[in-house]
Every structure is written in structure tokens, then in C-alpha cells.
Amino acid sequence: QVQLVESGGGVVQPGTSLRLSCAASGFIFSHYAMQWVRQAPGKGLEWVAAISGDGTNKYYADSVKGRFTISSDSSKNTLFLQMNSLRAEDTAVYFCARDTASVAARGGLIDYWGQGTLVTVSS
Amino acid sequence: DIQMTQSPSSLSASVGDRVTITCQANQDITNSLSWYQHKPGKAPNLLIYDASKLETGVPSRFTGSGYGTHFVFTISSLQPEDIATYYCQQYDHLPWTFGQGTKVEVK
């Protein structure tokens, strides 16, 4: 069965960096686009970034563009989110999610989610 | 960006009641709309996609309808296990956007 397990969350100071990982299993990783979605405390869901199954195309929300980088390693079935210049408003649970499409630009529909990892940005 | 306006933000209903949630897009998204159920501490769960198609394994008491800018999600007979927050999401245009969520509680 499809499993997505996030890791790498924690408490960090503003301006610092953090790298999230998502270990995927139960499907052919390179056949699916992948996404990161976050949920700030007491708030709704916010799409963060997406990457095509072959890793070539990447898309970002304006709120993270230039600070966050999505990447993937198909040999390890792992999705990453490198988060730099972190701000208090980046505090959230970050979910890894599988898109139903292989090309991110034609996707957007999520069929599987992980349980999330909490990132807290605070001084 | 496409704005998704979901209402109500919360509701309280009795077991067996019919529950309806609406989602309005500020521009045409054809049928590129999904509904998710999210329970605290758990992974969100896809219920409906393409506005009205039921995801495999999801109980038939969950239905969706609509096209263009107006969408409706219905639970025909609320069950205790349906207590959760429900979100609509459009995937017609990047950036993909979610509604604000509807928290469903049992009276």
C-alpha cells in the first residue's frame, strides 16, 4: 500500500534553514508528481510546492518562492523540501502528498498524504 | 490566484442528519475540484474528485456536485466517524488552492 512518511521537522530560529524528507513506498516513485502542502496552527491547508515525477519541472507558491526548494531522489524514493530563510509565518505541519499525475503542471489532485511533520520557527 | 470560498466554517448536526457544504470559486474551474476529509493528527483523505466522482473505498453517503464556480458536498446521513474538517481544493490552475475548511461536529 502507498505510504508517505515525513521527517525532519523541529524548532528553528528565524532566518535559519531546515530540510524535510518524505520516504515513499508502495508505488513507482518516478511515475508520480509529488507535492508539499502545509497547515499553520489553527489554519487551513496551503499548497507549497510540486515536482514532476521525473524531477524536471518544479512549481512554488509565491509565499515560499526563492526560499524553498523541492527536489526528489528516485533511487531512494524520497522527496525533499529545503527551507531557507525561515520566518515565523512558515510555522506549520508540512504534509508530503502524491499527485495523481506524473507531470506536475497537469496535476494538482492529491490521492495520498503523509501524516505530516511539524516545523516551528521561533526565537 | 483562484480564491475558494467555503461555507459554513463550522456546523453541528445530529447523527443521521444530511450535511451540506458549499464551495465557490472566483473563476471558472470546470470540474477540477476535490473534497478532502481531515481528522486531527491524521493524513487528509481524498473523498471526491472531478467534482462528483467518488474515490474508491469511500462510503456512498459522501457525494459531490457542481461545475464551473459553484460546488456542493453532501453527507447524506452523518455518522459519528464523520467528525472532521472538510476542505475543497481546485486543481484547474496553479497555484492550487483550498477552501478555508468546514469543521463538522456532532450534536
Side-chain angles (χ1 to χ4, degrees):
Chain A
Q1 72 280 22
V2 173
Q3 281 198 309
L4 300 169
V5 180
E6 303 92 337
S7 61
V11 180
V12 296
Q13 293 191 332
T16 61
S17 300
L18 201 60
R19 189 195 201 198
L20 305 183
S21 299
C22 170
S25 60
F27 64 101
I28 301 175
F29 187 74
S30 61
H31 287 192
Y32 293 87
M34 298 293 293
Q35 300 185 31
W36 287 99
V37 177
R38 68 184 180 183
Q39 183 177 34
K43 303 292 186 181
L45 299 170
E46 178 191 17
W47 173 74
V48 173
I51 185 170
S52 291
D54 62 5
T56 55
N57 296 301
K58 305 175 184 182
Y59 302 91
Y60 299 93
D62 285 346
S63 58
V64 307
K65 199 173 294 182
R67 300 187 299 122
F68 290 13
T69 301
I70 189 171
S71 63
S72 60
D73 184 341
S74 293
S75 68
K76 297 180 179 178
N77 290 347
T78 303
L79 178 71
F80 302 100
L81 186 67
Q82 177 66 43
M83 304 185 294
N84 298 332
S85 303
L86 282 161
R87 306 167 180 167
E89 54 264 36
D90 295 319
T91 294
V93 174
Y94 285 74
F95 297 98
C96 165
R98 190 184 84 165
D99 200 301
T100 58
S102 60
V103 177
R106 299 182 196 143
L109 174 61
I110 295 168
D111 58 357
Y112 288 96
W113 302 66
Q115 292 199 330
T117 186
L118 176 62
V119 173
T120 302
V121 184
S122 173
S123 54
Chain B
D1 297 3
I2 296 177
Q3 306 300 321
M4 305 300 295
T5 303
Q6 188 175 336
S7 63
S9 57
S10 66
L11 64 88
S12 183
S14 300
V15 172
D17 281 356
R18 184 180 187 88
V19 169
T20 298
I21 300 169
T22 64
C23 193
Q24 186 94 17
N26 67 350
Q27 59 182 277
D28 190 345
I29 58 169
T30 64
N31 67 335
S32 299
L33 184 106
S34 56
W35 291 94
Y36 299 94
Q37 177 191 66
H38 190 203
K39 299 179 180 180
K42 299 289 186 75
N45 185 37
L46 174 64
L47 302 177
I48 302 287
Y49 65 97
D50 291 349
S52 61
K53 295 178 181 175
L54 190 68
E55 174 70 348
T56 302
V58 173
S60 58
R61 64 179 180 275
F62 297 102
T63 59
S65 64
Y67 190 91
T69 61
H70 185 73
F71 301 87
V72 178
F73 172 80
T74 301
I75 307 173
S76 60
S77 177
L78 186 68
Q79 301 301 304
E81 60 267 31
D82 300 336
I83 301 314
T85 300
Y86 294 84
Y87 294 92
C88 63
Q89 183 220 2
Q90 68 81 19
Y91 47 94
D92 195 61
H93 287 97
L94 276 162
W96 304 311
T97 46
F98 292 86
Q100 303 95 317
T102 297
K103 187 173 184 180
V104 175
E105 299 173 322
V106 174
K107 281 183 186 174

